[in-house]
Amino acid sequence: VTQENVSIKVSFLYVLSISSALKVLPAKLINGGIAGIVGVTCVFPIDLVKTRLQNQRQGQQIYKNMLDCLIKTVRSEGYFGMYRGAAVNLTLVTPEKAIKLAANDFFRQHLSKNGKGLTVFKEMLAGCGAGICQVVITTPMEMLKIQLQDAGRLAAQQRMPAMMSPTKLAATNTVLSRSYNVGPSPAARAVSATQIARDLLHTQGIQGLYKGLGATLMRDVPFSMVYFPLFAHLNRLGQPSRDESAPFYWAFLSGCLAGSTAAVAVNPCDVVKTRLQSLSKGANEESYNGVVDCVSKIMRKEGPFAFLKGAGCRALVIAPLFGIAQVMYFIGIGEFILDQSPFNYLSA
């Protein structure tokens, strides 16, 4: 009887913890969504630079560094050229960041016992679960975004006869040339993410949007396994006491440091993912038949340092993105919005 009572009590506490996690889930989703929109708006031009630098091949460099890429992009495409592909990112970053942050909190609460702190292994396990959950949104979002971001680099190559001849360009799939913005005409530049998605679905089916899924998992799962435990430990250092939260500026700095560290750590996987998801190629740019083929060709033709391309840009993108996310959680904007909603008054 005693064992039955204990098992009933444990089951009740488990159900209670799950229900409490589900209760705060809407607020976490709102916080993650707002953080994603604000963060992406601030750092998207650097993310565009990262994509273009990662797709450059040895001997075909159009951009020397991050600053050179930004200057040349503004000169050739205008200020809004730096935000090419931002629409799809802003649309999908809300569910993507919301799922990532909310899933990590859910798994952390699920893995904790009797309110005790998690071991580093369990923190990494929670981050792993969050990384797996988010790729449902991340993979098609990155797929569409990369085509739009890299279009300016391909157009710049086309304007350089030594790099891109008309015969080389003609070898590119005509649908991809039209859809992915490599043509010189103004009509070709008016492409949207919706049109790209429609063309991919028509020619390749749903798997077309999920090309590079394996590489995305290779990037996002280790990222989450590094980021979330590291942030939790850094943030804990700023707590005045066990029962008090760290100040918001400490949460921001912890998010920035943990985010930039995790971003640089998984940058080789991000380079591979970017190369695999770039469907339109420039002159003399080879195609890849999967992750292993991509890694071996990059290593053989460009050397190991090619896997660090765009690492600085990626750190600059991820650091404020997750710093802002943690501040949103600290302030509790999602909780405030739900408290002010009509549904809250009706349920009161």
Side-chain angles (χ1 to χ4, degrees):
V1 178
T2 305
Q3 289 181 345
E4 288 181 359
N5 288 336
V6 170
S7 65
I8 291 172
K9 185 177 180 180
V10 169
S11 300
F12 175 75
L13 290 173
Y14 174 76
V15 171
L16 192 63
S17 67
I18 295 297
S19 64
S20 110
L22 292 173
K23 186 177 180 181
V24 299
L25 187 59
K28 293 182 185 298
L29 293 174
I30 293 172
N31 286 330
I34 294 174
I37 291 173
V38 174
V40 166
T41 303
C42 294
V43 302
F44 191 84
I46 304 175
D47 186 63
L48 179 138
V49 170
K50 180 218 61 149
T51 298
R52 294 186 178 184
L53 290 177
Q54 287 181 340
N55 265 330
Q56 285 193 142
R57 269 53 163 190
Q58 193 170 10
Q60 298 179 328
Q61 286 89 347
I62 297 173
Y63 313 110
K64 298 176 183 177
N65 49 48
M66 179 179 70
L67 185 60
D68 182 58
C69 184
L70 283 171
I71 292 171
K72 287 180 178 177
T73 299
V74 173
R75 283 179 181 172
S76 61
E77 303 170 54
Y79 173 79
F80 290 105
M82 295 190 297
Y83 283 89
R84 180 173 288 185
V88 64
N89 219 29
L90 288 170
T91 302
L92 295 178
V93 76
T94 299
E96 191 252 358
K97 284 291 176 287
I99 288 171
K100 184 187 191 82
L101 296 170
N104 178 70
D105 281 353
F106 177 81
F107 287 123
R108 286 179 70 92
Q109 191 157 359
H110 178 72
L111 291 169
S112 64
K113 293 182 179 180
N114 302 323
K116 294 180 180 179
L118 294 176
T119 62
V120 175
F121 174 75
K122 286 188 176 181
E123 286 180 335
M124 294 178 70
L125 201 59
C128 176
I132 292 172
C133 290
Q134 78 171 82
V135 296
V136 176
I137 302 294
T138 304
T139 305
M141 178 184 74
E142 293 276 314
M143 186 71 186
L144 298 175
K145 181 191 72 172
I146 285 172
Q147 315 315 317
L148 295 170
Q149 284 183 329
D150 201 40
R153 182 187 67 88
L154 295 172
Q157 267 198 2
Q158 188 180 349
R159 290 193 294 269
M160 300 176 69
M163 286 190 180
M164 175 77 81
S165 66
T167 54
K168 291 281 186 183
L169 181 62
T172 308
N173 184 289
T174 53
V175 175
L176 297 182
S177 297
R178 175 176 58 81
S179 298
Y180 304 123
N181 216 7
V182 298
S185 67
R189 294 195 179 99
V191 70
S192 67
T194 305
Q195 183 182 346
I196 295 174
R198 191 183 301 117
D199 286 341
L200 280 171
L201 289 171
H202 178 71
T203 57
Q204 302 179 33
I206 190 67
Q207 63 267 29
L209 288 174
Y210 281 88
K211 185 175 183 179
L213 175 62
T216 306
L217 281 167
M218 282 175 55
R219 182 196 68 171
D220 288 347
V221 171
F223 177 92
S224 297
M225 292 174 70
V226 172
Y227 171 78
F228 287 111
L230 183 56
F231 169 77
H233 285 273
L234 290 173
N235 196 50
R236 202 172 297 133
L237 295 175
Q239 292 178 327
S241 66
R242 186 181 289 255
D243 298 327
E244 294 182 74
S245 299
F248 82 94
Y249 67 85
W250 191 273
F252 175 78
L253 292 174
S254 298
C256 288
L257 182 57
S260 58
T261 302
V264 173
V266 302
N267 195 75
C269 299
D270 190 54
V271 172
V272 173
K273 183 196 73 66
T274 301
R275 294 284 182 94
L276 287 173
Q277 290 186 322
S278 297
L279 300 179
S280 232
K281 309 291 183 183
N284 303 317
E285 292 182 359
E286 65 284 314
S287 298
Y288 306 105
N289 297 317
V291 173
V292 176
D293 181 56
C294 183
V295 171
S296 62
K297 284 182 178 177
I298 292 174
M299 182 67 75
R300 186 173 66 252
K301 296 184 178 181
E302 302 174 58
F305 288 106
F307 292 104
L308 295 177
K309 284 183 177 181
C313 294
R314 183 160 165 76
L316 289 174
V317 168
I318 296 297
L321 198 61
F322 280 87
I324 291 169
Q326 297 303 338
V327 169
M328 292 295 173
Y329 268 68
F330 179 89
I331 296 174
I333 291 180
E335 289 80 358
F336 175 78
I337 291 174
L338 291 177
D339 286 342
Q340 301 300 317
S341 68
F343 297 103
N344 186 62
Y345 292 113
L346 289 172
S347 61

